[in-house]
Amino acid sequence: MDISDISSGVGVLDKAAVILGALASGPATLAGLVASTGLSRPTAHRLALALERHRLLGRDVQGRFVLGPRIGELSAAAGEDVLLAAAGPVLTSLRDATGESVQLYRRQGEMRVCVAAAERTAGLRDIVPVGSTLPMKVGSAAQVLVAWEDPEHFYQALQGARFTATALSGVRRRGWAQSIGEREPGMASVSAPVRGASDRVVAAVTVTGPIQRLTRHPGARLAKAAVDAADRLTEVVSHS
C-alpha cells in the first residue's frame, strides 16, 4: 500500500495506516515492514512501537509484528449491535431446545460481561442478569474467550485461573468448553465461540444449569446445541 493512495493530509496517521495495512497479510519483521511500506527504518520502528503500546500491534512468538488485540476489540465493538440484534431469537431457541438458561458473554478487559440472556422459566436454574460482570478465571465462557487469544494474553490470562493451558488446548481441539462447579458450586455449563469477520472469537454462547440435570459431563448433552447456536451468530456477525 502506497501512502499517496490513502493520504489524508495527516502524515503520521497515514504512515500508521500503511503499517496496519501491511500487517493485514500476516506477520512481519521490522525489515519486512520497511520493505513493504517504503518507510524509513527509524520511522517504521518508532510508529510500530507506538502502535504496540496502544495494543494495535503485537508480537508473535518469533518477535515479528502482528495486528494486535485492540484491532479485534474495535472490530467486535463495531459489530456489537448486529450481534445483539441476532442474539435474542438464537438464545431463545437454544433455551427451548435444551431446557436450560442461556447467556451470551463478551470480554471486557479482565472481566466478561453478560450482554444477552434467555432464562429458564421455572425450576432450579442459574440466573445471570444482563450486564453482570464475571471473572475471566473461572467458567466455560471464560475458557472459550481465552482459548484462542494471542500467546502473550493467553498466558497472562492463565495466572490464577481454575483452568490450565492443557485444558484450553482441548477446548480448541473440540471447539467448545465445559465447566463443573468452577464458578458456582453445584452448577455446570457448556460454552461455544462466536467469531467475527477475522475469525477472532468475539463472544461466547453459554448454557448453564445444575449438575444434577447437566451431569458431570455436560458437553455430552449440550455441546452440539451450543456450537450450532454460536455458529448461527458467527454467520450473522462475520457477514455484517
Side-chain angles (χ1 to χ4, degrees):
M1 181 186 295
D2 191 282
I3 292 180
S4 62
D5 295 334
I6 60 167
S7 178
S8 67
V10 183
V12 67
L13 291 180
D14 293 341
K15 292 171 184 175
V18 166
I19 289 175
L20 293 171
L23 290 172
S25 59
T29 62
L30 178 59
L33 281 181
V34 171
S36 62
T37 63
L39 298 173
S40 69
R41 186 180 181 89
T43 297
H45 188 239
R46 175 172 56 85
L47 289 176
L49 292 181
L51 290 167
E52 184 179 17
R53 175 84 174 176
H54 287 283
R55 300 175 63 242
L56 291 165
L57 294 189
R59 305 285 186 111
D60 65 10
V61 293
Q62 299 175 38
R64 298 174 299 178
F65 289 105
V66 295
L67 293 177
R70 186 60 180 152
I71 298 291
E73 293 167 5
L74 292 171
S75 175
E80 181 173 4
D81 289 346
V82 173
L83 175 62
L84 294 184
V90 172
L91 297 188
T92 298
S93 176
L94 179 59
R95 178 201 61 194
D96 293 346
T98 62
E100 304 294 345
S101 297
V102 178
Q103 300 88 33
L104 180 69
Y105 291 98
R106 299 189 66 165
R107 184 169 187 171
Q108 190 173 88
E110 299 308 308
M111 305 295 287
R112 55 185 168 102
V113 180
C114 178
V115 296
E119 299 297 346
R120 192 173 192 265
T121 55
L124 185 60
R125 59 195 187 276
D126 185 23
I127 298 177
V128 182
V130 173
S132 297
T133 302
L134 301 176
M136 285 289 293
K137 303 298 184 182
V138 294
S140 62
Q143 293 177 44
V144 163
L145 293 171
V146 170
W148 285 273
E149 272 282 16
D150 62 88
E152 178 184 356
H153 294 90
F154 177 87
Y155 288 107
Q156 286 178 353
L158 285 175
Q159 297 177 14
R162 291 279 299 276
F163 41 81
T164 65
T166 300
L168 296 188
S169 176
V171 171
R172 292 192 297 274
R173 183 179 65 254
R174 294 190 306 266
W176 53 269
Q178 67 178 8
S179 69
I180 300 93
E182 270 187 24
R183 181 176 64 82
E184 186 175 341
M187 303 303 291
S189 68
V190 175
S191 295
V194 179
R195 299 177 180 274
S198 62
D199 205 38
R200 182 177 177 82
V201 174
V202 297
V205 170
T206 303
V207 184
T208 61
I211 293 174
Q212 66 188 58
R213 279 202 309 266
L214 272 60
T215 78
R216 301 196 69 83
H217 302 281
R221 172 190 162 198
L222 299 171
K224 184 180 186 306
V227 169
D228 287 347
D231 286 348
R232 287 174 62 190
L233 291 176
T234 292
E235 184 72 14
V236 173
V237 175
S238 61
H239 289 89
S240 62

